[in-house]
Amino acid sequence: MAASPPSPLYRESSQDTLDDAEKGLYDSTAEFLAPPPFVYMGQKKDLQLNTRLSPLSPVHEGITPFSSVPELSLAFPEKKRISADASKLPAVNKPSPPKPKISRWILFALWFNTYRKFFTFVTLFNLTGIIMAALGRFPYAENHLGALVLGNLLCAILFRNELWMRFLYLVFIYGLRGWAPLSIKYGATSILQHVGGIHSGCALSGAAWLIYKIVDIIRYRAVQNPAVIASGIITNVFIIISVLSAFPWVRNTYHNVFEKHHRFIGWLGLATTWIFVIMGDLYDIKKGEWRRDSNTLLSAQELWFAVFMTIFVLIPWVTLREVPVEVEIPSPKVAVLKFRRGMQQGLLGRISRTSIMEYHAFGIISGGRKSDCHYMICGVQGDFTKDLVANPPKTVWTRELKFAGVGNASAMFKRGIRVCTGTGIGAALSTCIQSPNWFLIWIGSDQERTFGPTIAGLIHNNIEPERMILWDSKKRGGRPNTMELLKDTWTRWGAEVIFITSNMQGNDEMMQGCRVAGLHAFGTLWDF
């Protein structure tokens, strides 16, 4: 079975909340008194402030662009322009205000998101079918238990397949962006982001139907061939191990264990499923003998479910290639990998040092399809990323068929904000490079030194100062008041949506704050 892709900001172990490139962002939180928002005014250095205004949060103060960009801010023609030199504005510390209390309803709404709604609906729907079948009120199940098993497993594979998901994104983006109201676009984006709930629900339901089928076969073992029973039990064991290995605690705590069992045991389960389907359909329990008529097998629903399961499992792997890569090590915390050919925005790629083991997903940075290269930012966190820095490879294995992240849905909206922290820039930057209607907010610690000249050049050469905020928490003594920053930018930029790529703590704070403020935001998703 296909493995679940990780969040765009890859985590090799859930025990580390932050990767090395993000450490320090949340160690100290400082609020600053600042003048009203300022705008880029060429090389003017005069400071014009209205001292009668009450102090604001550091909405656009303390922004530290790369050295070649002396001034940064928002430029909004409908507002009064105020110029300031960011490097000369003092930071004034004051006690951190208490965190706002979030209502239980908002916390529940964020917890019971579309992922969990999909999962709940799918599992309850199938549970109802199992109960009705057990009560003898589901005639279809009595004759096609195998089809119910394989139908669920096929859906589980489908909603983790790169090609199918790219197709869904294509349909939603081009089908909605020209005419659909924002409410429909928000719903479509939420569906695309959370289809993993269908994957998990169908996988668990397929395993449940398989258990029911084996129990049913054993009940009538007197008329069933022992070989069919044995193949069913073996298939059941493999499928259940594959499903259990994907449970959150196993997947997040022991990623390699999850990957090996979910992938390889899943493949064994697929192979034994073929044996189980063929033997089950060819054995005539009424006559107690094997059928020799191939038409019976070809007309079976179970066979064609197995065919399509196999096809969708194989599709990503037939695009597997060993490709050359250039590795830049700007700091001990980060490796920047450069690959050939350009990519559209919002895609993620899996890489590995071997052909079938230990694949890790990272966001892709590119100037567009016509660009000659694309990049991945790999923040040092676990053994794999540490080894990229210690022993940079000349080649890596990757699937040339990339999968779409929620950032790909940004093409549905007219104007938006892409906010990220630390290595989250790897998943966010392409959107702002390829679309002039997206605003970048990057909160990090000593970004220029940590991420190096390549990333600095991509930002400086492709994004105008008027549509980016680069907050260096090391130089400014702490992170900004993120919600004040987002609310002000939302209003002045005329944004329709916010996409967040951050660690768990930052993601939760921003998602909760956006929900309270009525801003439509989509955050990093950690598969459950």
mmCIF file of all heavy atoms in Angstrom, residues 210 214 226-241 265 268-273 275-276:
data_model
loop_
_atom_site.group_PDB
_atom_site.id
_atom_site.type_symbol
_atom_site.label_atom_id
_atom_site.label_comp_id
_atom_site.label_asym_id
_atom_site.label_seq_id
_atom_site.Cartn_x
_atom_site.Cartn_y
_atom_site.Cartn_z
ATOM 1 N N LEU A 210 -12.139 -7.120 5.677
ATOM 2 C CA LEU A 210 -11.348 -8.319 5.447
ATOM 3 C C LEU A 210 -11.455 -9.282 6.634
ATOM 4 O O LEU A 210 -11.587 -10.496 6.456
ATOM 5 C CB LEU A 210 -9.885 -7.944 5.204
ATOM 6 C CG LEU A 210 -8.930 -9.076 4.829
ATOM 7 C CD1 LEU A 210 -9.406 -9.803 3.577
ATOM 8 C CD2 LEU A 210 -7.517 -8.535 4.620
ATOM 9 N N ILE A 214 -12.961 -13.100 6.496
ATOM 10 C CA ILE A 214 -12.257 -14.295 6.961
ATOM 11 C C ILE A 214 -13.090 -15.032 8.014
ATOM 12 O O ILE A 214 -13.169 -16.272 8.015
ATOM 13 C CB ILE A 214 -10.873 -13.918 7.533
ATOM 14 C CG1 ILE A 214 -10.022 -13.291 6.431
ATOM 15 C CG2 ILE A 214 -10.168 -15.140 8.106
ATOM 16 C CD1 ILE A 214 -9.875 -14.139 5.189
ATOM 17 N N PRO A 226 -9.220 -25.511 2.105
ATOM 18 C CA PRO A 226 -8.232 -25.035 3.083
ATOM 19 C C PRO A 226 -7.241 -24.025 2.500
ATOM 20 O O PRO A 226 -6.773 -23.127 3.203
ATOM 21 C CB PRO A 226 -7.519 -26.310 3.520
ATOM 22 C CG PRO A 226 -8.512 -27.400 3.270
ATOM 23 C CD PRO A 226 -9.266 -26.984 2.046
ATOM 24 N N ALA A 227 -6.902 -24.162 1.228
ATOM 25 C CA ALA A 227 -5.957 -23.226 0.602
ATOM 26 C C ALA A 227 -6.526 -21.815 0.547
ATOM 27 O O ALA A 227 -5.798 -20.822 0.733
ATOM 28 C CB ALA A 227 -5.603 -23.713 -0.802
ATOM 29 N N VAL A 228 -7.832 -21.704 0.291
ATOM 30 C CA VAL A 228 -8.484 -20.394 0.253
ATOM 31 C C VAL A 228 -8.468 -19.774 1.646
ATOM 32 O O VAL A 228 -8.191 -18.577 1.822
ATOM 33 C CB VAL A 228 -9.924 -20.519 -0.274
ATOM 34 C CG1 VAL A 228 -10.628 -19.164 -0.228
ATOM 35 C CG2 VAL A 228 -9.928 -21.069 -1.692
ATOM 36 N N ILE A 229 -8.763 -20.589 2.657
ATOM 37 C CA ILE A 229 -8.761 -20.096 4.040
ATOM 38 C C ILE A 229 -7.367 -19.621 4.434
ATOM 39 O O ILE A 229 -7.196 -18.536 5.014
ATOM 40 C CB ILE A 229 -9.242 -21.201 5.007
ATOM 41 C CG1 ILE A 229 -10.690 -21.596 4.671
ATOM 42 C CG2 ILE A 229 -9.136 -20.726 6.446
ATOM 43 C CD1 ILE A 229 -11.208 -22.760 5.496
ATOM 44 N N ALA A 230 -6.348 -20.378 4.093
ATOM 45 C CA ALA A 230 -4.972 -20.031 4.448
ATOM 46 C C ALA A 230 -4.532 -18.734 3.771
ATOM 47 O O ALA A 230 -3.926 -17.858 4.407
ATOM 48 C CB ALA A 230 -4.037 -21.170 4.064
ATOM 49 N N SER A 231 -4.848 -18.593 2.486
ATOM 50 C CA SER A 231 -4.460 -17.370 1.771
ATOM 51 C C SER A 231 -5.184 -16.156 2.332
ATOM 52 O O SER A 231 -4.615 -15.059 2.414
ATOM 53 C CB SER A 231 -4.751 -17.512 0.274
ATOM 54 O OG SER A 231 -6.151 -17.630 0.038
ATOM 55 N N GLY A 232 -6.441 -16.356 2.760
ATOM 56 C CA GLY A 232 -7.189 -15.256 3.361
ATOM 57 C C GLY A 232 -6.605 -14.822 4.687
ATOM 58 O O GLY A 232 -6.502 -13.628 4.976
ATOM 59 N N ILE A 233 -6.215 -15.773 5.506
ATOM 60 C CA ILE A 233 -5.639 -15.441 6.817
ATOM 61 C C ILE A 233 -4.306 -14.721 6.642
ATOM 62 O O ILE A 233 -4.020 -13.715 7.325
ATOM 63 C CB ILE A 233 -5.467 -16.720 7.660
ATOM 64 C CG1 ILE A 233 -6.849 -17.285 8.031
ATOM 65 C CG2 ILE A 233 -4.646 -16.434 8.914
ATOM 66 C CD1 ILE A 233 -6.784 -18.623 8.754
ATOM 67 N N ILE A 234 -3.461 -15.202 5.723
ATOM 68 C CA ILE A 234 -2.168 -14.562 5.476
ATOM 69 C C ILE A 234 -2.361 -13.134 4.969
ATOM 70 O O ILE A 234 -1.686 -12.195 5.427
ATOM 71 C CB ILE A 234 -1.338 -15.387 4.470
ATOM 72 C CG1 ILE A 234 -0.959 -16.731 5.085
ATOM 73 C CG2 ILE A 234 -0.089 -14.627 4.040
ATOM 74 C CD1 ILE A 234 -0.323 -17.691 4.094
ATOM 75 N N THR A 235 -3.296 -12.946 4.040
ATOM 76 C CA THR A 235 -3.596 -11.607 3.533
ATOM 77 C C THR A 235 -4.061 -10.692 4.659
ATOM 78 O O THR A 235 -3.646 -9.529 4.754
ATOM 79 C CB THR A 235 -4.676 -11.685 2.436
ATOM 80 O OG1 THR A 235 -4.224 -12.514 1.374
ATOM 81 C CG2 THR A 235 -5.009 -10.309 1.895
ATOM 82 N N ASN A 236 -4.916 -11.229 5.521
ATOM 83 C CA ASN A 236 -5.428 -10.458 6.644
ATOM 84 C C ASN A 236 -4.302 -9.970 7.542
ATOM 85 O O ASN A 236 -4.265 -8.800 7.945
ATOM 86 C CB ASN A 236 -6.393 -11.334 7.458
ATOM 87 C CG ASN A 236 -7.548 -10.547 8.022
ATOM 88 O OD1 ASN A 236 -7.387 -9.391 8.379
ATOM 89 N ND2 ASN A 236 -8.702 -11.175 8.115
ATOM 90 N N VAL A 237 -3.375 -10.848 7.844
ATOM 91 C CA VAL A 237 -2.254 -10.488 8.727
ATOM 92 C C VAL A 237 -1.430 -9.357 8.110
ATOM 93 O O VAL A 237 -1.099 -8.366 8.775
ATOM 94 C CB VAL A 237 -1.373 -11.724 9.005
ATOM 95 C CG1 VAL A 237 -0.078 -11.305 9.716
ATOM 96 C CG2 VAL A 237 -2.127 -12.734 9.843
ATOM 97 N N PHE A 238 -1.092 -9.504 6.823
ATOM 98 C CA PHE A 238 -0.274 -8.482 6.164
ATOM 99 C C PHE A 238 -0.983 -7.129 6.119
ATOM 100 O O PHE A 238 -0.373 -6.084 6.398
ATOM 101 C CB PHE A 238 0.088 -8.925 4.742
ATOM 102 C CG PHE A 238 1.135 -9.998 4.687
ATOM 103 C CD1 PHE A 238 1.155 -10.926 3.652
ATOM 104 C CD2 PHE A 238 2.108 -10.094 5.671
ATOM 105 C CE1 PHE A 238 2.122 -11.916 3.596
ATOM 106 C CE2 PHE A 238 3.084 -11.082 5.629
ATOM 107 C CZ PHE A 238 3.090 -11.993 4.592
ATOM 108 N N ILE A 239 -2.257 -7.132 5.757
ATOM 109 C CA ILE A 239 -2.997 -5.873 5.645
ATOM 110 C C ILE A 239 -3.119 -5.199 7.014
ATOM 111 O O ILE A 239 -2.943 -3.975 7.141
ATOM 112 C CB ILE A 239 -4.399 -6.114 5.041
ATOM 113 C CG1 ILE A 239 -4.280 -6.635 3.602
ATOM 114 C CG2 ILE A 239 -5.220 -4.836 5.076
ATOM 115 C CD1 ILE A 239 -3.613 -5.681 2.642
ATOM 116 N N ILE A 240 -3.407 -5.979 8.046
ATOM 117 C CA ILE A 240 -3.567 -5.404 9.385
ATOM 118 C C ILE A 240 -2.241 -4.813 9.874
ATOM 119 O O ILE A 240 -2.219 -3.714 10.454
ATOM 120 C CB ILE A 240 -4.095 -6.467 10.364
ATOM 121 C CG1 ILE A 240 -5.550 -6.800 10.021
ATOM 122 C CG2 ILE A 240 -3.995 -5.982 11.811
ATOM 123 C CD1 ILE A 240 -6.128 -7.942 10.823
ATOM 124 N N ILE A 241 -1.126 -5.499 9.647
ATOM 125 C CA ILE A 241 0.187 -4.957 10.042
ATOM 126 C C ILE A 241 0.466 -3.650 9.306
ATOM 127 O O ILE A 241 0.944 -2.664 9.886
ATOM 128 C CB ILE A 241 1.299 -5.981 9.763
ATOM 129 C CG1 ILE A 241 1.175 -7.180 10.701
ATOM 130 C CG2 ILE A 241 2.678 -5.333 9.917
ATOM 131 C CD1 ILE A 241 2.174 -8.286 10.412
ATOM 132 N N ILE A 265 5.355 -4.554 3.817
ATOM 133 C CA ILE A 265 4.280 -5.468 4.223
ATOM 134 C C ILE A 265 3.029 -5.195 3.396
ATOM 135 O O ILE A 265 2.280 -6.113 3.049
ATOM 136 C CB ILE A 265 3.967 -5.314 5.733
ATOM 137 C CG1 ILE A 265 5.214 -5.645 6.563
ATOM 138 C CG2 ILE A 265 2.825 -6.221 6.140
ATOM 139 C CD1 ILE A 265 5.701 -7.065 6.412
ATOM 140 N N LEU A 268 3.485 -7.011 0.181
ATOM 141 C CA LEU A 268 3.208 -8.438 0.379
ATOM 142 C C LEU A 268 1.704 -8.676 0.497
ATOM 143 O O LEU A 268 1.177 -9.663 -0.021
ATOM 144 C CB LEU A 268 3.918 -8.941 1.639
ATOM 145 C CG LEU A 268 5.436 -9.127 1.542
ATOM 146 C CD1 LEU A 268 6.014 -9.473 2.912
ATOM 147 C CD2 LEU A 268 5.777 -10.218 0.526
ATOM 148 N N GLY A 269 1.030 -7.758 1.191
ATOM 149 C CA GLY A 269 -0.423 -7.870 1.302
ATOM 150 C C GLY A 269 -1.112 -7.789 -0.047
ATOM 151 O O GLY A 269 -2.084 -8.502 -0.308
ATOM 152 N N LEU A 270 -0.584 -6.928 -0.932
ATOM 153 C CA LEU A 270 -1.157 -6.818 -2.281
ATOM 154 C C LEU A 270 -0.935 -8.110 -3.064
ATOM 155 O O LEU A 270 -1.842 -8.592 -3.768
ATOM 156 C CB LEU A 270 -0.517 -5.644 -3.013
ATOM 157 C CG LEU A 270 -1.000 -5.395 -4.445
ATOM 158 C CD1 LEU A 270 -2.507 -5.138 -4.485
ATOM 159 C CD2 LEU A 270 -0.240 -4.225 -5.069
ATOM 160 N N ALA A 271 0.254 -8.690 -2.920
ATOM 161 C CA ALA A 271 0.551 -9.941 -3.627
ATOM 162 C C ALA A 271 -0.344 -11.077 -3.144
ATOM 163 O O ALA A 271 -0.916 -11.837 -3.960
ATOM 164 C CB ALA A 271 2.025 -10.314 -3.432
ATOM 165 N N THR A 272 -0.505 -11.207 -1.818
ATOM 166 C CA THR A 272 -1.367 -12.275 -1.302
ATOM 167 C C THR A 272 -2.842 -11.990 -1.585
ATOM 168 O O THR A 272 -3.641 -12.921 -1.667
ATOM 169 C CB THR A 272 -1.148 -12.450 0.211
ATOM 170 O OG1 THR A 272 -1.370 -11.198 0.889
ATOM 171 C CG2 THR A 272 0.263 -12.927 0.504
ATOM 172 N N THR A 273 -3.183 -10.704 -1.745
ATOM 173 C CA THR A 273 -4.560 -10.364 -2.135
ATOM 174 C C THR A 273 -4.877 -10.948 -3.508
ATOM 175 O O THR A 273 -5.969 -11.480 -3.744
ATOM 176 C CB THR A 273 -4.755 -8.835 -2.155
ATOM 177 O OG1 THR A 273 -4.601 -8.322 -0.834
ATOM 178 C CG2 THR A 273 -6.144 -8.477 -2.674
ATOM 179 N N ILE A 275 -3.552 -13.607 -4.811
ATOM 180 C CA ILE A 275 -3.717 -15.058 -4.627
ATOM 181 C C ILE A 275 -5.086 -15.367 -4.040
ATOM 182 O O ILE A 275 -5.807 -16.266 -4.500
ATOM 183 C CB ILE A 275 -2.605 -15.601 -3.716
ATOM 184 C CG1 ILE A 275 -1.234 -15.409 -4.387
ATOM 185 C CG2 ILE A 275 -2.839 -17.080 -3.397
ATOM 186 C CD1 ILE A 275 -0.069 -15.745 -3.479
ATOM 187 N N PHE A 276 -5.461 -14.578 -3.034
ATOM 188 C CA PHE A 276 -6.737 -14.790 -2.355
ATOM 189 C C PHE A 276 -7.918 -14.573 -3.298
ATOM 190 O O PHE A 276 -8.884 -15.347 -3.319
ATOM 191 C CB PHE A 276 -6.809 -13.839 -1.153
ATOM 192 C CG PHE A 276 -8.023 -14.032 -0.291
ATOM 193 C CD1 PHE A 276 -8.492 -15.297 0.034
ATOM 194 C CD2 PHE A 276 -8.711 -12.929 0.218
ATOM 195 C CE1 PHE A 276 -9.606 -15.475 0.833
ATOM 196 C CE2 PHE A 276 -9.818 -13.088 1.018
ATOM 197 C CZ PHE A 276 -10.280 -14.358 1.324
#
